[in-house]
Amino acid sequence: MSVQTIFEMGRAGRRAFFCPTLDVPARDRDELLPERFQRKSPPALPEVSEPEIVRHYVRVSKRNFDLDSGFYPLGSCTMKHNPRLHERVAALSGYARLHPLQQSSGSQGALELMWRLEGALSEIAGLPSVSLQPSAGSHGELAGVLLTRAYHKDRGERRHKVLTPDTAHGTNPATVTMAGYEVVKVGTNADGGVDVDDLREKADEDVACLMLTNPNTLGLFDANIEEIASIVHRAGAILYYDGANLNAVMGHTRPGDMGFDIVHFNLHKTFTQPHGGGGPGAGPIAVSERIAPYLMVPRVERDEDGRFALDHDQPKSIGRLRGFHGNFGTFVRTYAYICSLGGEGLREASEVAVLNANYLLARLREEGVLERLPLAYGELCGHEFVLSGAPMKRELGIRMLDLAKRLLDHGIHPPTVYFPLLVEEALLIEPTETETKETLDEFVAVIVSILREAEGNPEVARAAPHTTPVRRLDEAGAARNPVIRQEEIK
Ligand SMILES: Cc1ncc(COP(=O)(O)O)c(C=O)c1O
């Protein structure tokens, strides 16, 4: 059954809600709201009844795949269960209904929460200063690169290049380009880490920064990190930590202790917040002392009497990166997550994330899956691992995309495919710490059954999915030519 848009369902005069009759006299109205801001005609909203609205959105939501209905091992995205407690805390009216323009005197609780969250993130990063402002990991990256430029400029230096490993997430080079720097790729060695010789050669006085995630997108911790940090610093450059993979090491090691100068967190990945589809997130950054003067404004400050205020007076600041203070609901959820787990709990979450990934890898190996889908690098992994589907493609005639689509027929969201780019037919699997052993075993059984099925009849996987509301979509076309606005229905 095709689903109409809510606009197509509308019928003139149908209503879900009736406002009380306006009883503000016209002259007061003009005084309260200048005439130029008053609407002359009602907004073009769909006219529908309440049952229609409820049914429409419930129906649409059922056609989607979500973490609440199935396993979602989307590598690099950390799609973990988000405890409902945090939703309840974030919905408390003192947080949810607070106006962002509320005076500091009337928002002490919210400011205190931000201040405490900054303190907790500073401790986790091992770096002294934090800004919560960026709205996503990639926005944190942009903040980091702009801070890097401000730091060099203040020292009278102009540098033009930023290094990113060839395993880097696409947002790293995109951010670098957006900030006006030239991207220079650094190679990967046979162990899956940064090629240190290549780095040494490229780290010259024109390099502003190296952006790195550790463990990297192959799920491998780079044991040469201290050497890497010293090469970068010797060149006068900044070492930037892409924190999207922090879930593997939180509580065990700290980016600041590894030598990083700037770190972004993906609160929506490592901590808690439903995410995906561009939904709200937060990408706070933590920085070392030498970068702190350039941080975004306003900063949350606490005075000697324990009162909180917003400080805009930071002469070297790069300014603001967005309106207001960030996605506040994400801060509340993250703070609730940190308080409910505590330091030991955060450490344990990382341990179980790594344990689950290694268990899954061992089970796939035990079932012979790695003969068709070999591990791209290493023996063990961090919180995720990359398989290559090259032998599967050659021997069974199905591509990684086919396997991914067939997983949907089994009620499992496919892991990340075709990333990292240096692995042929890549499959990047991240089970996270919130999945049970039974779910992981079920995933292995499904992969085995799909490969077996493809031995007999590869056409089934090639034509998958068969059971979803829509079949194969032109995903590249949808991303390149998005239709995001409903045209008015006549
Ligand atoms: C390694 C890595 N870096 C950066 C990002 C960007 O983070 P965000 O999606 O929050 O912008 C991601 C997200 O998928 C990632 O996996």
Side-chain angles (χ1 to χ4, degrees), residues 166-186:
D166 54 8
T167 49
H169 190 258
T171 51
N172 292 181
T175 297
V176 171
T177 308
M178 197 171 157
Y181 283 95
E182 181 194 336
V183 179
V184 178
K185 292 246 177 270
V186 180

Side-chain angles (χ1 to χ4, degrees), residues 95 98-100 102 104 107-122 129-134 267 282 284-285 296-302 308-311 320 322-336 338:
Y95 293 134
L98 194 64
H99 196 282
Q102 180 79 35
S104 294
S107 55
Q108 286 291 299
L111 293 175
E112 179 167 356
L113 184 138
M114 290 170 70
W115 186 81
R116 286 179 180 275
L117 177 58
E118 285 183 8
L121 295 177
S122 155
S129 302
V130 172
S131 166
L132 302 176
Q133 213 173 90
L267 295 189
I285 52 168
M296 293 80 85
V297 284
R299 309 277 310 273
V300 182
E301 301 289 353
R302 189 170 103 138
F308 297 90
L310 292 171
D311 177 12
R320 264 186 181 280
R322 53 160 291 153
F324 307 120
H325 314 305
N327 282 328
F328 184 73
T330 312
F331 306 160
V332 180
R333 289 176 179 88
T334 302
Y335 190 61
I338 291 174

Side-chain angles (χ1 to χ4, degrees), residues 76-77 136-138 141 169 171-172 217 242 244-245 264 266 268-269:
S76 209
C77 290
S138 41
E141 292 170 23
H169 190 258
T171 51
N172 292 181
T217 57
D242 173 337
N245 293 329
H264 88 243
N266 298 66
H268 45 292
K269 298 181 187 186

